[in-house]
Amino acid sequence: MSTALPVVRARWCDIGRIADLVAEALAPTALAAWLVPDTSRRLPVLAAVARIWTEHALLFGDAFLLPDGSAATVWFHRYRPIPTPHRYADRLAGAAGPDGDRFRRLGAELAARRPAEPHNNLALLAAPRGGAAEALSAAQRRMDTLSLPTYAHPCAGEQEELLRRLGYAERETFPAPDGTPVRSLWRSAPFHAGGSDRWRTRRAARREHDDRAAGRAAH
């Protein structure tokens, strides 16, 4: 019996595809309208900013795609504090132009609310043409092998419903800089904290780090 999961780990060459999915999924939301008021610029700006954070996730987390490339999830492994993307201020200015300050304000608000305890952070769920359930459930099973809780702040109502079906519960609700309510959700670790579980977490984290390092060296 096959145990293969219906997602594939993203590689560097997938970053552009994921950024486009994120932009397409986010563009219709009220938050996106606040981030980039000019509708003619919204999609390219959202994609350019999403590219920065997706690149960062491949260094400090993971990203997964459905095999047909129609949906993606982007995660950060927050076992400890991680830096902002390299030259983030310059890159954000180039990507967002006059809207850069709005992205900075949103990022600061999300960072201030982020849990302090170690967790995996679902930063982005992008399924503009369907496949969200398949993409998220399979990626969640991958995250569960690390025996850590997971945290998310969905940007659309249907995402919240899906997360709740997967065992997430409300942590808090706070306003985004535009006033839009943002509900943060938390899913407990699938294993009780114990000596063997901590070893399993460290070993899995090290293995994923080595896999990514080998992949970058190959390119």
Side-chain angles (χ1 to χ4, degrees), residues 95-181:
D99 300 313
D101 185 60
R102 295 172 186 255
F103 284 93
R104 280 190 292 272
R105 289 170 58 190
L106 176 61
E109 185 64 37
L110 295 179
R113 304 284 183 163
R114 188 176 299 127
E117 55 264 52
H119 65 278
N120 290 307
N121 176 201
L122 174 62
L124 299 166
L125 167 59
R129 292 177 294 283
E134 293 83 355
L136 180 56
S137 60
Q140 185 70 58
R141 282 147 60 192
R142 299 249 189 167
M143 291 297 104
D144 285 350
T145 65
L146 302 177
S147 303
L148 284 176
T150 44
Y151 172 75
H153 36 75
C155 65
E158 62 272 16
Q159 291 186 1
E160 181 181 339
E161 294 170 9
L162 174 57
L163 287 161
R164 288 184 182 277
R165 291 201 299 271
L166 290 175
Y168 284 78
E170 182 175 348
R171 186 179 176 99
E172 68 169 330
T173 299
F174 56 92
D178 69 329
T180 302

Side-chain angles (χ1 to χ4, degrees), residues 3-197:
T3 59
L5 296 176
V7 290
V8 294
R9 179 173 282 114
R11 300 175 296 168
W12 208 255
C13 62
D14 297 316
I15 290 173
R17 174 61 179 164
I18 295 173
D20 288 342
L21 288 172
V22 170
E24 188 177 348
L26 187 59
T29 66
L31 181 59
W34 176 78
L35 286 168
V36 189
D38 184 347
T39 56
S40 67
R41 298 178 60 251
R42 190 170 299 153
L43 270 174
V45 169
L46 291 173
V49 176
R51 183 181 184 93
I52 296 172
W53 287 103
T54 303
E55 287 181 5
H56 202 51
L58 293 191
L59 299 175
F60 294 95
D62 264 310
F64 299 101
L65 282 157
L66 288 181
D68 65 359
S70 63
T73 59
V74 177
W75 304 76
F76 285 99
H77 298 317
R78 296 193 179 276
Y79 312 134
R80 56 187 180 275
I82 63 176
T84 56
H86 180 60
R87 296 180 59 249
Y88 181 58
D90 292 339
R91 294 192 67 190
L92 182 61
D99 300 313
D101 185 60
R102 295 172 186 255
F103 284 93
R104 280 190 292 272
R105 289 170 58 190
L106 176 61
E109 185 64 37
L110 295 179
R113 304 284 183 163
R114 188 176 299 127
E117 55 264 52
H119 65 278
N120 290 307
N121 176 201
L122 174 62
L124 299 166
L125 167 59
R129 292 177 294 283
E134 293 83 355
L136 180 56
S137 60
Q140 185 70 58
R141 282 147 60 192
R142 299 249 189 167
M143 291 297 104
D144 285 350
T145 65
L146 302 177
S147 303
L148 284 176
T150 44
Y151 172 75
H153 36 75
C155 65
E158 62 272 16
Q159 291 186 1
E160 181 181 339
E161 294 170 9
L162 174 57
L163 287 161
R164 288 184 182 277
R165 291 201 299 271
L166 290 175
Y168 284 78
E170 182 175 348
R171 186 179 176 99
E172 68 169 330
T173 299
F174 56 92
D178 69 329
T180 302
V182 176
R183 189 168 288 110
S184 65
L185 302 175
W186 182 260
R187 185 179 188 272
S188 297
F191 304 109
H192 295 295
S196 61
D197 287 336

Side-chain angles (χ1 to χ4, degrees), residues 145-146 200 202-212:
T145 65
L146 302 177
R200 185 161 49 242
R202 290 196 298 270
R203 183 173 55 186
R206 180 63 190 174
R207 185 173 60 249
E208 293 205 354
H209 177 273
D210 291 345
D211 288 346
R212 286 194 299 274

